[in-house]
Amino acid sequence: MDHVATKPGATTATASDTPKTAAAGEVNRQPQETDGFQLVIDALKLNGIDTIFTLPGIPITDLTRRSQAEGIRVLAFRHEQNAGYAASIAGFLTQKPGICLTVSAPGFLNGLNALAHATVNCFPMILISGSSEREIVDLQQGDYEEMDQLAIAKPVAKAAYRVLHADDIGVGIARAIRAAVSGRPGGVYLDLPAKLFAQSIDVEAGKRTLIKAVDPAPKQIPAPDAVKRALDLLKAAKRPLIILGKGAAYAQADADIKLLVEKSGIPYLPMSMAKGLLPDTHEQCASAARSFVLPGADVVMLIGARLNWLLSHGKGKTWGAKTAKDWGGQKFIQVDISPQEADSNVRIDAPVVGDIGSCVSALLAGMNATEGGSWAKPPADWLSAVTEKKQGNVAKMAETLSKNPTPMNFHSALNVVRDIIKANPDAILVNEGANALDFTRSIVDMYKPRKRIDVGTWGIMGVGMGYCVAAAVTTKQQVIAVEGDSAFGFSGMEVETICRYNLPVCVVILNNNGVYKGTDVDPTGRDPAPTVFVKGARYEKLMEAFGGVGVVAATPSELRGAMEEAIRSKKPTLINAVIDENAGTESGRITSLNPAAKKKP
Ligand code: ADP
Ligand code: TPW
């Protein structure tokens, strides 16, 4: 096929171009042409992509304009990293790949962090970046924003592709979508050189090249013997435990997961982003007895959760072993779509490989077939021990939450957030920081699936405002972000984006004047300590600068009033919740990973 690369200055047909009106009696023989820009838009729309997260510039500015003109929601950010995080979480929330569109080299690199984040967290996302001329890039002749982007993206992407010819755009987009959502989801890079956009081809020929991906995330049915092996292990358990991870939340198999947990009668622990899959107030929820159930359990069923650092690699003292290297003796069942995940850290006795929806329904069917459907609940002594531990810890927490210290601290502020989420269970909670993260996770109960989105597998700072935009746009729900003051700074400029699109986002900054806390000093007396910020910073003014509502809240009642008003008005709101600068610990709950802090008494 002929590829007509447009020469500088040559005009290219666009979708809006109509054939020139033929003069009377004259036959219009001019073939209708389409171009690379249009084919990208057509291919995305054909595959149900309705939103693009972007920051325009050469060579993608027209792609953003024309996508918007064609009805795609185009959300433009102030920094590509935030657009990328937005795309990644849109993928998690919708099961469709979130699209982040950037310019070449620097824009691409700004988006790359989010691409890696998507891959690490198993979120489907496609980073589409414009790139410079291949011939010049490959000879390293110094093109505008020259960079071999494909090579750089590969190590952090689940897959990476480049399209050189307009008639391959359909294949390129279909491959990118399949790679992002099939199997274990992840981040995909799609390289679109500038020249591609201007290539023109015949409209009809162009149409024939487009592909609508059929069943891009096919079901993966687990093997019956794997299901039986898992159920046999579970049935014999004396102290079973279920751990739900964000893969379970992603899978949108909510009703069956609830059925499985309830029919089994087994205590369960939700990982951070799996909170709310069943309400955190559920009687089987063992979150408040975490440090009891992990070492105590004899059989653990992981559903969409990896035994990575967040679960202490399935071994060591957390799991009741004598040393950090030792195995606690638990047997593991792991339900996961990735056949390579099992045995990554400790032995998995019963891997169940398949998509969570299919696996959970197969497990349920197996339980129903067992003993005439009367699946025996776990031994009563285990259940009562878990309940006792849990009740003790819940009572202790209630006592702490009932205090009203001056100045406000994490607990008294988060007690308010806890009530607000209880009253607004459909709201999406975005959460980042160290203490701001750990305390929110343990204090604020979630009631519905996929309502809590946070720093994820890397414990990354900077997802906050990008997540807020994506959550508000894709779910149309109220968004509440609980942010450490350091965490907020990574994406703070996107409050302009929140105001520009007038999104119902209420940002609460738990402001303790620094990273972790605001009390460090430079021993030489020269500079502020590296962890310390300007004291008494007025973050709320940033929101006011763009027309949103800014509030300072120094007490729980001020915080409550401001949050209630934000939810009532749906206006972009930033609440600067001033808390004790002594509040918090270094690194929050992961002090053990911090060698310097560990040495401190
Ligand atoms: P958490 O951080 O909540 O513990 P992880 O991100 O470690 O969760 O684990 C998520 C797991 O879920 C990954 O191993 C991934 O392969 C798996 N997963 C994601 N989506 C699905 C799905 N639809 N079906 C089965 N497993 C899935
Ligand atoms: C991209 C390291 C982990 S937590 C944190 C940093 C800088 C900020 C903690 O302070 P904050 O919260 O937000 O004020 P709080 O409640 O404890 O006061 N860069 C990236 N990611 C990470 N995780 C870091 C740095 C870090």
Side-chain angles (χ1 to χ4, degrees):
M1 193 177 292
D2 227 15
H3 301 292
V4 189
T6 312
K7 294 187 189 77
T11 49
T12 312
T14 69
S16 53
D17 286 344
T18 43
K20 290 191 186 73
T21 322
E26 203 182 299
V27 181
N28 182 3
R29 295 190 192 284
Q30 186 158 359
Q32 275 203 38
E33 295 208 318
T34 187
D35 63 7
F37 284 115
Q38 190 61 39
L39 287 167
V40 172
I41 296 166
D42 291 346
L44 291 174
K45 285 177 74 172
L46 184 65
N47 283 285
I49 303 287
D50 53 15
T51 309
I52 292 175
F53 303 92
T54 189
L55 197 162
I58 294 172
I60 53 124
T61 316
D62 273 348
L63 186 57
T64 63
R65 287 199 187 104
R66 285 171 58 175
S67 299
Q68 187 173 54
E70 297 249 349
I72 293 180
R73 188 101 198 256
V74 178
L75 297 152
F77 285 69
R78 304 301 294 261
H79 191 292
E80 291 88 350
Q81 183 169 296
N82 305 318
Y85 288 145
S88 75
I89 206 68
F92 170 77
L93 291 169
T94 65
Q95 292 185 328
K96 281 198 290 192
I99 307 290
C100 175
L101 176 63
T102 77
V103 303
S104 12
F108 157 79
L109 285 173
N110 284 346
L112 200 61
N113 201 328
L115 183 73
H117 169 75
T119 305
V120 164
N121 283 275
C122 317
F123 299 159
M125 166 187 172
I126 305 174
L127 174 66
I128 304 179
S129 296
S131 60
S132 314
E133 279 205 36
R134 287 265 21 104
E135 295 85 340
I136 301 182
V137 173
D138 287 349
L139 278 170
Q140 299 173 30
Q141 293 174 307
D143 202 2
Y144 167 69
E145 298 190 348
E146 173 183 301
M147 175 173 273
D148 187 359
Q149 296 168 195
L150 187 71
I152 289 165
K154 266 183 188 162
V156 298
K158 184 181 170 194
Y161 307 103
R162 176 185 293 131
V163 181
L164 289 177
H165 301 299
D167 53 1
D168 287 331
I169 286 172
V171 168
I173 298 238
R175 295 213 75 187
I177 290 172
R178 275 191 191 279
V181 297
S182 64
R184 171 183 278 178
V188 176
Y189 176 60
L190 188 62
D191 193 85
L192 302 183
K195 266 188 177 175
L196 175 81
F197 296 119
Q199 286 175 19
S200 56
I201 62 173
D202 174 75
V203 168
E204 288 307 316
K207 262 190 202 152
R208 285 193 295 273
T209 64
L210 298 183
I211 295 175
K212 181 170 166 46
V214 176
D215 195 15
K219 277 189 180 173
Q220 296 190 22
I221 314 287
D225 59 336
V227 174
K228 183 175 179 312
R229 194 183 298 120
L231 287 175
D232 286 348
L233 199 53
L234 209 54
K235 216 173 357 172
K238 300 268 182 297
R239 299 180 307 281
L241 174 70
I242 293 174
I243 297 183
L244 302 173
K246 61 177 159 334
Y250 173 78
Q252 298 195 15
D254 310 335
D256 271 359
I257 290 174
K258 185 163 182 285
L259 258 179
L260 177 79
V261 171
E262 288 181 343
K263 185 163 182 64
S264 74
I266 297 173
Y268 73 94
L269 269 185
M271 299 300 287
S272 194
M273 281 177 55
K275 275 166 71 76
L277 213 40
L278 287 83
D280 282 341
T281 47
H282 195 283
E283 60 171 353
Q284 285 169 254
C285 180
S287 291
R290 189 178 196 270
S291 54
F292 176 76
V293 290
L294 290 181
D298 64 347
V299 174
V300 179
M301 178 154 75
L302 301 154
I303 306 183
R306 287 170 286 187
L307 281 176
N308 56 18
W309 70 281
L310 287 159
L311 283 168
S312 307
H313 306 281
K315 59 191 168 192
K317 291 184 178 165
T318 308
W319 293 88
K322 286 203 181 65
T323 73
K325 284 265 170 213
D326 285 344
W327 172 47
Q330 288 80 5
K331 289 192 182 304
F332 287 100
I333 300 163
Q334 185 159 34
V335 179
D336 204 292
I337 202 152
S338 164
Q340 287 157 284
E341 186 53 40
D343 303 333
S344 59
N345 284 274
V346 294
R347 183 174 66 235
I348 301 297
D349 300 273
V352 182
V353 175
D355 70 278
I356 283 168
S358 301
C359 292
V360 169
S361 77
L363 288 163
L364 268 172
M367 286 166 89
N368 285 330
T370 310
E371 294 146 21
S374 60
W375 179 270
K377 302 269 185 245
D381 56 346
W382 170 239
L383 297 184
S384 58
V386 176
T387 305
E388 197 181 316
K389 194 77 199 166
K390 184 174 140 179
Q391 282 170 349
N393 286 341
V394 167
K396 262 190 244 161
M397 178 61 91
E399 202 184 303
T400 312
L401 292 178
S402 69
K403 291 184 184 143
N404 190 2
T406 308
M408 187 156 67
N409 65 9
F410 284 104
H411 289 88
S412 58
L414 288 169
N415 189 35
V416 173
V417 179
R418 173 187 164 96
D419 290 348
I420 298 277
I421 292 286
K422 188 174 182 186
N424 300 276
D426 284 315
I428 308 270
L429 179 66
V430 174
N431 190 202
E432 60 177 340
N435 297 281
L437 177 92
D438 293 337
F439 286 125
T440 305
R441 190 178 55 228
S442 59
I443 293 171
V444 179
D445 289 329
M446 304 308 296
Y447 298 88
K448 294 192 174 182
R450 291 171 297 286
K451 296 296 186 188
R452 189 191 148 84
I453 49 182
D454 65 26
V455 298
T457 302
W458 266 347
I460 203 165
M461 297 298 115
V463 292
M465 298 306 104
Y467 274 20
C468 285
V469 172
V473 166
T474 58
T475 71
K476 314 259 186 291
Q477 300 289 342
Q478 174 69 44
V479 177
I480 295 169
V482 175
E483 301 271 315
D485 48 333
S486 165
F488 172 75
F490 287 74
S491 66
M493 194 62 200
E494 301 297 344
V495 296
E496 189 276 328
T497 312
I498 291 168
C499 288
R500 188 166 9 112
Y501 295 105
N502 195 21
L503 300 173
V505 173
C506 172
V507 181
V508 178
I509 298 182
L510 298 177
N511 184 3
N512 58 357
N513 295 342
V515 175
Y516 312 130
K517 50 208 253 174
T519 48
D520 265 10
V521 285
D522 171 1
T524 71
R526 184 172 57 186
D527 281 325
T531 54
V532 164
F533 297 152
V534 166
K535 309 246 180 208
R538 300 293 301 275
Y539 292 104
E540 76 287 355
K541 290 194 181 290
L542 199 54
M543 187 60 105
E544 286 172 357
F546 303 110
V549 177
V551 186
V552 181
T555 65
S557 72
E558 285 170 5
L559 176 58
R560 191 180 302 270
M563 289 188 80
E564 283 172 353
E565 177 54 22
I567 290 168
R568 195 201 56 72
S569 72
K570 299 200 181 311
K571 286 189 186 147
T573 301
L574 192 154
I575 305 169
N576 184 358
V578 180
I579 60 168
D580 186 352
E581 70 171 7
N582 287 292
T585 59
E586 177 121 349
S587 309
R589 290 229 180 120
I590 52 171
T591 308
S592 61
L593 298 180
N594 184 344
K598 228 164 76 170
K599 281 191 221 123
K600 286 184 187 163

